Amino acid sequence: MLHNPLDNDIKFVSGVGEVRAKLLDREIGVRTLRDMLYHFPFRYIDRTQMYRIEQINEHSASAYVQFRAKVTGKNFSGEGRKRRFSIFVSDGTGTAELLWFQGIKWVEKRFELGREYVIFGRPSFFRGELSMVHPEVELVEKALSRKVESGLQGIYSTTEKLSSALGTKGIYNIICSLWGSVQGHIEDYMPEYIRQRYGLVSLEDALYNIHFPQSQERLRQAQYRLKFDELFGIQLNIQSRHSSRTTSRDGFIFNKVGEFFNTFYNTRLPFPLTGAQKRVIKEIRQDTVSGVQMNRLLQGDVGSGKTVVALMSMLLAVDNGFQACMMAPTEILARQHYATIARMTEGMGLRIAILTGTSRSKERREVLQALASGEINILIGTHALIEERVQFDNLGFVVIDEQHRFGVEQRARLWTKNSQPPHILVMTATPIPRTLAMTLYGDLDVSVIDELPPGRRPIRTVCYKDSARLRLFGFMREQIRLGRQIYVVYPLIKESEKADYKNLQEGFEAIIRDFPLPDYRVSACHGQMKPADKEESMRQFKSGEADILVATSVIEVGVDVPNATVMVIESAERFGLAQMHQLRGRVGRGGEQSFCILMSGEKVSRESQARLDAMCETTDGFRLAELDLKLRGAGDINGTLQSGSAIDLKIANPTLDHQILELTKQVAISLLDADPTLDDVRHRPLRELKQRYAGEQEVDFSMIS
Ligand code: ADP
Ligand code: MG
């Protein structure tokens, strides 16, 4: 095959080099020229528009603006790492302060008192005064002599670490210099007849105009083409899976509601089911008599009572002579489910077992044997359940709990333990908007529990800066005095695990210092502890022996301690919305007023702030899920990393681009009808596109344990 220059390493592009290449890879996953080209601007600003300082107000605080002004003064302040440099400017209608924390020496030399500059950046306001941190600055004469073709300049998202080495301007420059070597080499995989029918510009044209828009119209066409490609790529995958399923998958038939289900319903259920729970059980019941294998996504907010729905569905399976299993993402959660379910069904004559990565070998052998012989009715566990050697006698129903990431469907499909597939129920507390779920997961049916059990009090959420820590500690003492318990959670994000553990350790020590024995008891729980120690910490907290549990997001899912009323999330700006919502769901389970306190650094990116605001504004998981998609669609890199989303959309936003989504679905269906394996020479190049959006093929549990 011919070498494609798009595959070249980014480090050879002029102005990049070894160090920046590493940074680009680590921070935004860019390794090749192609990766860089597909790092699209998330916004464009019109550089022909010049503001006056008086026109810039707090409403423009999130957008980039540009203005011309003269330098009236300079000032250094702070010491050591806190050192900063200010330039004061005025344009006759107002004044502004420009601030630098880095590269001070270099910046300082560039400014001359009394000269006029064009200043470009994101305004912020402090006590009503306009300021700008690390703006781009150019002498007026130079800025005005530059030829600006359409006036539209792309703004690229960066990360905190990347922005000091390569801001949006730096990324723009890299793309400018690599363009020369790829121009003329960008092959279009889209068949000509599809391009013509749907008015799609060529791929090269699209990639050029997305970075260097020649006009508003060309930009719009470029965006349309690239969104089309993404959604079409996804649809090619979904629709080809869909057609293989409907033709081949018969489902077990559960035609009776038997003794286990009825006994449980009539004598064990500790509360009346909510209307929503009843409806979902009915939907599952209908599916399991239909003769087609069920693939159902159950969405229900944290605390909406999904467990009991899962249990009753599993009882249906057992009533019909089948085994059932339930898979949880963490050991802690698996044990908790096991305890709950064993307790609720005690004495009913069911055999329920647990299997996790830490089960002892003797115990494991026994379980595996009893499972293969059919003695075990319900098996609960972690991903240890999908190992090869775990063989069921006749598995009829699988529950996958708390699968709050996009890879849902792919994971469900891993279940190939029977010649005939079991029914599958995937439960998630991070709802995907319904229409979106159905389009994205073409063949997954969706049930929703949209009603919380009665008597829940809404959780109060507030957002504090680090400087309010004393107040936080005061509040925590007050709650402990009232007999309540508190979670303090630290972020644990793959890329920086070491630093994260350090933060956790320091936080833990600070809390032990401020909440000393014998008045306060603090325990800790994180992924680097031995399972037995984790277990012991959790036990102490559950039993009320510990007042405070300091943890990483391992407790994200499933922990149920009704007496815990406060959830403190440290460095909340680093969490995704879905994760924060999950964590918040750990409190508010008892009758007392509960609180969620989001602690964040003094400086927070706009996107992070939007997430924090959303958390304070609503406790509705559906609303948050929609917001999350919008924010991520806008190019929030951190959000995407944290969500571990299987399908990495760079430009399309399935919620907003619903029409393109529908269109690509139709195009994919008719194309696959005619040519299911993409053998036609016109379609072959599309295999590349399809492959790119195939989603994850393996279970990736590293995010959650
Ligand atoms: P989730 O949907 O987050 O998994 P759970 O199944 O853990 O929620 O249920 C949360 C809590 O609500 C549990 O303590 C459970 O016993 C209780 N619960 C579930 N359904 C009802 C109901 N219909 N009425 C009252 N309490 C309920
Ligand atoms: Mg649950």
Side-chain angles (χ1 to χ4, degrees):
M1 234 166 74
L2 276 176
H3 177 73
N4 187 336
L6 265 66
D7 294 323
N8 286 351
D9 196 317
I10 190 77
K11 76 177 172 209
F12 300 121
V13 173
S14 80
V16 182
E18 208 70 62
V19 175
R20 285 176 164 180
K22 276 220 179 78
L23 204 59
L24 282 167
D25 182 7
R26 207 176 47 225
E27 293 293 309
I28 55 176
V30 167
R31 289 186 200 125
T32 62
L33 303 194
R34 179 182 290 102
D35 296 340
M36 193 76 252
L37 274 182
Y38 277 85
H39 187 67
F40 303 141
F42 66 95
R43 193 208 322 270
Y44 297 83
I45 46 106
D46 185 352
R47 295 220 50 176
T48 53
Q49 161 128 21
M50 200 67 79
Y51 283 81
R52 289 191 307 274
I53 291 179
E54 66 178 3
Q55 291 174 309
I56 305 170
N57 53 35
E58 315 223 356
H59 296 296
S60 31
S62 64
Y64 283 78
V65 296
Q66 114 185 313
F67 61 95
R68 320 163 42 154
K70 282 192 179 138
V71 175
T72 58
K74 305 181 182 189
N75 182 42
F76 290 95
S77 56
E79 288 291 318
R81 287 184 53 208
K82 295 243 168 93
R83 206 168 130 84
R84 52 198 248 173
F85 174 57
S86 310
I87 292 271
F88 299 96
V89 296
S90 158
D91 71 349
T93 73
T95 60
E97 180 178 5
L98 315 179
L99 270 169
W100 281 267
F101 301 97
Q102 271 152 5
I104 291 178
K105 251 202 191 134
W106 184 75
V107 177
E108 203 244 324
K109 273 195 257 155
R110 293 187 57 195
F111 286 97
E112 278 176 55
L113 277 175
R115 288 195 77 170
E116 196 179 10
Y117 295 82
V118 171
I119 296 143
F120 169 73
R122 194 188 279 174
S124 56
F125 286 86
F126 184 67
R127 301 214 179 102
E129 298 292 326
L130 171 62
S131 63
M132 254 183 207
V133 177
H134 290 196
E136 271 178 35
V137 181
E138 237 176 340
L139 273 171
V140 158
E141 301 80 51
K142 188 159 173 243
L144 297 184
S145 71
R146 189 160 31 88
K147 187 164 139 275
V148 194
E149 304 200 15
S150 65
L152 291 172
Q153 182 181 319
I155 303 293
Y156 295 87
S157 55
T158 64
T159 62
E160 220 175 288
K161 284 206 191 95
L162 195 56
S163 66
S164 51
L166 270 178
T168 176
K169 182 110 179 269
I171 292 179
Y172 179 84
N173 289 339
I174 293 177
I175 294 173
C176 286
S177 48
L178 71 79
W179 186 259
S181 59
V182 300
Q183 193 169 14
H185 296 285
I186 299 174
E187 282 164 34
D188 204 337
Y189 40 73
M190 195 66 79
E192 182 65 31
Y193 79 93
I194 294 187
R195 279 182 41 203
Q196 290 200 340
R197 193 171 303 163
Y198 302 103
L200 303 174
V201 298
S202 75
L203 186 57
E204 181 156 326
D205 188 326
L207 288 171
Y208 185 75
N209 276 286
I210 203 81
H211 294 292
F212 316 112
Q214 303 299 295
S215 66
Q216 284 284 1
E217 178 58 14
R218 307 279 302 266
L219 174 60
R220 203 197 51 73
Q221 290 169 339
Q223 288 169 326
Y224 186 78
R225 164 71 207 251
L226 295 166
K227 287 176 178 181
F228 188 98
D229 284 16
E230 280 190 346
L231 297 170
F232 188 52
I234 293 169
Q235 288 301 328
L236 283 175
N237 282 287
I238 291 170
Q239 300 310 329
S240 59
R241 283 198 293 259
H242 187 48
S243 49
S244 61
R245 182 169 81 92
T246 39
T247 50
S248 66
R249 302 230 161 151
D250 291 340
F252 295 123
I253 295 179
F254 298 172
N255 52 20
K256 67 175 182 229
V257 177
E259 194 195 319
F260 289 121
F261 186 97
N262 284 327
T263 308
F264 182 83
Y265 186 75
N266 294 323
T267 68
R268 300 304 177 91
L269 200 57
F271 36 69
L273 293 176
T274 62
Q277 285 170 321
K278 281 189 197 157
R279 190 184 64 236
V280 173
I281 291 173
K282 212 157 142 194
E283 283 167 353
I284 293 171
R285 172 115 180 81
Q286 279 162 0
D287 280 359
T288 53
V289 295
S290 73
V292 176
Q293 183 226 355
M294 178 182 88
N295 244 319
R296 191 168 273 283
L297 175 67
L298 171 54
Q299 305 188 335
D301 215 339
V302 189
S304 62
K306 295 185 290 295
T307 317
V308 73
V309 171
L311 173 57
M312 292 178 71
S313 314
M314 292 195 288
L315 293 178
L316 261 181
V318 178
D319 273 338
N320 287 274
F322 290 94
Q323 291 169 302
C325 76
M326 182 165 182
M327 191 165 86
T330 65
E331 170 105 21
I332 290 172
L333 183 54
R335 294 203 176 275
Q336 184 162 302
H337 277 322
Y338 175 71
T340 310
I341 289 177
R343 177 171 43 78
M344 285 176 110
T345 59
E346 204 183 334
M348 282 172 57
L350 283 165
R351 181 148 174 208
I352 298 175
I354 178 162
L355 187 69
T356 70
T358 64
S359 298
R360 288 186 206 298
S361 53
K362 177 161 171 283
E363 189 189 341
R364 172 185 301 261
R365 253 195 323 274
E366 279 170 16
V367 167
L368 290 180
Q369 207 172 27
L371 195 64
S373 68
E375 287 159 63
I376 289 176
N377 305 110
I378 295 177
L379 180 65
I380 295 165
T382 55
H383 56 286
L385 296 192
I386 58 171
E387 282 170 23
E388 197 65 51
R389 56 201 164 138
V390 180
Q391 291 298 333
F392 290 80
D393 176 34
N394 62 348
L395 178 62
F397 199 94
V398 175
V399 180
I400 302 180
D401 189 24
E402 304 285 6
Q403 196 71 26
H404 55 277
R405 322 217 186 251
F406 267 100
V408 171
E409 192 199 15
Q410 290 90 331
R411 287 171 196 185
R413 275 171 190 293
L414 282 168
W415 212 277
T416 50
K417 291 199 166 294
N418 300 24
S419 51
Q420 195 175 344
H423 296 299
I424 294 176
L425 181 68
V426 178
M427 306 200 294
T428 171
T430 308
I432 306 159
R434 191 188 184 102
T435 48
L436 173 60
M438 292 204 282
T439 338
L440 276 184
Y441 303 121
D443 57 347
L444 203 66
D445 296 308
V446 181
S447 286
V448 181
I449 301 186
D450 49 7
E451 183 185 350
L452 289 180
R456 297 270 169 88
R457 287 215 231 169
I459 299 161
R460 266 189 228 153
T461 305
V462 292
C463 189
Y464 282 172
K465 296 288 176 202
D466 278 335
S467 50
R469 190 159 296 277
L470 283 180
R471 230 164 101 204
L472 169 70
F473 281 0
F475 175 74
M476 286 167 64
R477 285 197 193 92
E478 175 69 19
Q479 286 285 309
I480 294 173
R481 204 179 49 74
L482 291 170
R484 311 284 145 66
Q485 289 166 282
I486 298 172
Y487 295 102
V488 180
V489 176
Y490 283 82
L492 184 55
I493 297 159
K494 254 189 185 165
E495 287 76 44
S496 52
E497 265 181 34
K498 279 219 176 80
D500 285 340
Y501 279 118
K502 188 163 158 279
N503 290 344
L504 173 81
Q505 200 55 39
E506 283 169 5
F508 181 54
E509 279 158 17
I511 286 178
I512 289 184
R513 228 176 12 252
D514 281 86
F515 295 84
L517 284 166
D519 295 343
Y520 302 100
R521 291 148 309 171
V522 184
S523 61
C525 179
H526 58 79
Q528 285 196 339
M529 286 164 70
K530 291 205 193 85
D533 296 342
K534 260 198 278 197
E535 213 63 27
E536 173 58 17
S537 291
M538 288 308 303
R539 192 199 57 74
Q540 286 176 3
F541 191 68
K542 273 194 205 168
S543 67
E545 284 164 46
D547 305 297
I548 302 176
L549 180 69
V550 181
T552 53
S553 38
V554 290
I555 60 153
E556 185 179 330
V557 282
V559 178
D560 197 3
V561 181
N563 190 48
T565 55
V566 183
M567 169 60 67
V568 179
I569 304 181
E570 294 283 353
S571 306
E573 70 271 26
R574 298 179 52 198
F575 283 88
L577 256 185
Q579 255 182 322
M580 282 194 274
H581 182 61
Q582 280 287 320
L583 287 169
R584 177 165 60 184
R586 297 308 111 208
V587 297
R589 304 195 147 220
E592 306 297 339
Q593 176 63 54
S594 289
F595 304 87
C596 175
I597 298 165
L598 308 172
M599 299 300 289
S600 73
E602 302 294 328
K603 275 203 312 181
V604 169
S605 79
R606 194 169 32 89
E607 286 85 356
S608 300
Q609 192 60 49
R611 289 198 298 270
L612 298 176
D613 293 346
M615 281 291 293
C616 295
E617 219 171 271
T618 180
T619 54
D620 179 344
F622 283 82
R623 179 96 193 86
L624 287 171
E626 266 171 42
L627 282 170
D628 200 20
L629 270 171
K630 280 196 190 136
L631 291 174
R632 277 196 261 149
D636 181 344
I637 290 167
N638 288 325
T640 312
L641 281 181
Q642 286 174 15
S643 73
S645 136
I647 302 166
D648 184 14
L649 295 177
K650 297 199 186 301
I651 185 165
N653 180 327
T655 317
L656 301 178
D657 300 319
H658 199 78
Q659 278 179 319
I660 310 180
L661 190 67
E662 268 308 312
L663 175 64
T664 54
K665 181 175 172 181
Q666 296 315 320
V667 178
I669 289 174
S670 55
L671 189 141
L672 289 167
D673 272 349
D675 180 15
T677 45
L678 303 178
D679 279 328
D680 186 325
V681 282
R682 294 173 304 167
H683 297 154
R684 270 170 186 260
L686 281 174
R687 290 176 179 180
E688 177 199 326
L689 181 69
K690 184 176 170 208
Q691 184 54 40
R692 194 183 309 160
Y693 295 101
E696 53 192 321
Q697 298 299 326
E698 291 169 51
V699 183
D700 174 15
F701 285 94
S702 53
M703 298 289 294
I704 32 191
S705 54

